[in-house]
Amino acid sequence: QVQLVESGGGLVQPGGSLKFSCTASRQVFVVTNMAWFRQAPGKQREFVARITWGGTTDYADSVKGRFTISRNARGTLVNLQVNTQKVEDTAVYYCKLLTPRAEYWGQGTQVTVSS
């Protein structure tokens, strides 16, 4: 079993920046990818960004050019740098670790973009 813990959420003004982190409780030796999702009030959870074990990244169209995903070499930490935030970025952000056999989710971190 792997526990994921997100941190770094909070209140930010439109146009501001935040950096989220997600820490895994142990190293997983076969990782397909690590990703961030978000869920806004009244909406379904949606994909935000993904990084494969090989380092390939992809992003939702709504965040391209503003968000950057990265991870450490051991695959125990995945970060999401978010810049030029918009009110519509307000959501609970979740990290996900996908292996060939299982997927693990964190408990989420709240981000509120408001003036």
Side-chain angles (χ1 to χ4, degrees):
Q1 191 63 272
V2 179
Q3 282 75 47
L4 302 177
V5 179
E6 300 97 336
S7 61
L11 175 65
V12 63
Q13 292 186 339
S17 298
L18 279 176
K19 184 177 181 179
F20 314 151
S21 296
C22 174
T23 303
S25 58
R26 66 173 179 86
Q27 185 176 8
V28 178
F29 293 98
V30 183
V31 174
T32 303
N33 63 60
M34 303 178 79
W36 287 93
F37 287 71
R38 68 185 180 186
Q39 187 166 16
K43 296 187 177 181
Q44 290 188 334
R45 192 172 298 188
E46 64 175 5
F47 166 75
V48 174
R50 178 186 299 117
I51 183 166
T52 68
W53 190 243
T56 301
T57 59
D58 68 287
Y59 299 90
D61 288 343
S62 59
V63 307
K64 281 181 181 176
R66 299 189 297 120
F67 289 19
T68 302
I69 189 171
S70 62
R71 64 167 179 81
N72 66 353
R74 297 180 65 221
T76 56
L77 177 69
V78 60
N79 297 314
L80 188 68
Q81 176 70 43
V82 298
N83 299 323
T84 320
Q85 288 211 276
K86 305 176 180 180
V87 172
E88 51 264 41
D89 292 328
T90 296
V92 178
Y93 284 72
Y94 299 89
C95 68
K96 173 185 171 183
L97 187 153
L98 180 67
T99 76
R101 291 190 172 189
E103 63 179 44
Y104 303 95
W105 290 88
Q107 82 290 348
T109 185
Q110 175 69 49
V111 173
T112 301
V113 184
S114 175
S115 56

